[in-house]
Amino acid sequence: MERRTIGAGALGVGAVGLGCMPMSWAYTGSQQRGEDSMRTVRAALDEGSSLLDTADMYGPFTNELLIGRVLKERRAEAFVSTKCGLLVGEQHIVANGRPGYVKRACDASLRRLQTDTIDLYQLHRADPEVPVEETWGAMADLVTAGKVRALGLCAVGARASRRAGAGVGLHDATIRQLERVQQVFPVAAVQAELSVWSQEALDSLLPWCAARGVGLLAAMPLGNGFLTGTLTPGQGFEPDDVRARHPRFTAEMMAANQPLVVGLRRIAERHDATPAQVALAWVLAQGPQVVPVPGAKRERWARENAGAAGVRLTPEDLAVIAALPPARGSWD
Ligand SMILES: NC(=O)c1ccc[n+]([C@@H]2O[C@H](COP(=O)([O-])OP(=O)(O)OC[C@H]3O[C@@H](n4cnc5c(N)ncnc54)[C@H](OP(=O)(O)O)[C@@H]3O)[C@@H](O)[C@H]2O)c1
């Protein structure tokens, strides 16, 4: 698989990573047998998808535990990217960016992951009660201590910045946060939603990253599965599935957004590929520092998604995708 580098430290990874979240969180079936999940992770490594994206809160904790079982066998092939800063409570998920907490969270992640070093340690969400420089300073100490190789910031919760008012870009608050933490310690990668149906990161965030040699991990690159063309409008989702509450997964919006799937499928046929692979190839085409982390529970999907690294979209394909109607349905 093609390799990409993220961050000024030039960390090498396979161009397509593996999002491990669906194995333990957010989707129906996320409590599938550990053996099945481990088979999926091993398949991703077999195919060259070295970047395994997890978080302490997925499960909580069980996702890191299962990644750790694979790392025990195959640490040298993997690039482990995990996250801290969100705690799963009885009722709510709360941010905790206190320096002492972050350091304890890192030690706990290292134990669960059965490794001495985390390749990329990401702040899942900034804690509004703690200046982000303090949290980031504690994370920088972890690099100095050799527990972490590089630092990243997640911008997936940035929708609040758009709600702040007209004319405020989705990622404006993220960029302000990035400028602040860069003063303390370099950012190697930003994680943000980026897919054919959520392209806001292209406006200002990706240019910001490109100008500074910062990697962009594209979260939800398959539009939570919609862009794969395997979901049917009106199929319904179990209450434990994030899509049961997602405004783009009502029967009406899934039907309204079918032209996106139809467009991807037409291009896929020309490349002897699948719509999922074309959706990921589009993400890869956005810049050499972009690494999609498609989520998958199933081994079959992990192998198929890795194959997207071999799909080269032509300028005509990219023009067809650019001309597709913007996705309908929004969180705002
Ligand atoms: N930093 C953050 O706050 C944040 C937030 C969200 C996500 N993320 C990261 O981004 C990753 C990806 O996001 P995501 O998993 O929510 O969304 P996604 O990658 O857009 O879509 C995942 C869904 O697509 C399905 N799928 C995957 N490959 C497929 C294929 N080839 N054909 C058909 N269906 C396929 C999966 O099914 P199965 O599960 O059945 O295999 C899963 O339901 C996560 O794993 C996580 O690492 C980070």
Side-chain angles (χ1 to χ4, degrees), residues 36-193:
D36 294 334
S37 294
M38 286 170 68
R39 195 171 306 117
T40 302
V41 179
R42 288 190 197 107
L45 293 177
D46 291 345
E47 301 290 338
S49 287
S50 57
L51 194 157
L52 307 177
D53 189 61
T54 178
D56 56 2
M57 70 158 289
Y58 298 159
F61 311 126
T62 48
N63 201 242
E64 285 189 336
L65 284 168
L66 80 86
I67 305 299
R69 285 160 67 195
V70 179
L71 290 182
K72 199 167 178 211
E73 309 155 2
R74 299 179 64 169
R75 179 67 185 93
E77 293 160 74
F79 179 99
V80 190
S81 126
T82 191
K83 318 185 186 81
C84 67
L86 285 180
L87 285 169
V88 180
E90 290 282 310
Q91 304 287 333
H92 302 288
I93 294 171
V94 290
N96 189 339
R98 286 192 288 277
Y101 168 75
V102 166
K103 290 184 176 175
R104 286 194 301 281
C106 178
D107 286 338
S109 286
L110 285 167
R111 273 195 301 278
R112 284 189 290 270
L113 291 165
Q114 304 200 45
T115 185
D116 298 331
T117 325
I118 291 164
D119 296 303
L120 180 69
Y121 202 40
Q122 301 162 98
L123 180 58
H124 214 157
R125 297 287 182 275
D127 181 344
E129 307 292 324
V130 180
V132 70
E133 292 85 350
E134 282 182 26
T135 309
W136 201 254
M139 293 172 71
D141 289 346
L142 295 168
V143 181
T144 310
K147 297 180 180 185
V148 165
R149 289 172 72 200
L151 301 184
L153 192 87
C154 295
V156 181
R159 294 192 180 273
S161 71
R162 180 192 275 161
R163 284 197 292 269
V168 177
L170 177 64
H171 288 298
D172 288 358
T174 305
I175 290 174
R176 282 198 294 276
Q177 211 169 57
L178 285 163
E179 304 275 5
R180 286 171 61 186
V181 300
Q182 281 279 64
Q183 305 293 321
V184 179
F185 193 87
V187 180
V190 179
Q191 183 164 147
E193 182 172 7

Side-chain angles (χ1 to χ4, degrees), residues 231-298:
L231 303 175
T232 315
Q235 68 172 68
F237 296 95
E238 299 294 327
D240 67 346
D241 195 304
V242 68
R243 293 169 292 192
R245 297 171 296 286
H246 194 307
R248 287 190 180 165
F249 285 90
T250 62
E252 185 194 355
M253 288 304 152
M254 286 178 78
N257 286 321
Q258 282 306 307
L260 294 172
V261 174
V262 171
L264 293 174
R265 185 167 285 128
R266 280 209 191 105
I267 297 170
E269 281 161 7
R270 287 206 289 275
H271 288 270
D272 197 17
T274 64
Q277 289 175 327
V278 172
L280 295 173
W282 177 88
V283 173
L284 288 166
Q286 302 313 308
Q289 71 283 69
V290 180
V291 177
V293 285
K297 285 193 292 292
R298 298 177 223 196

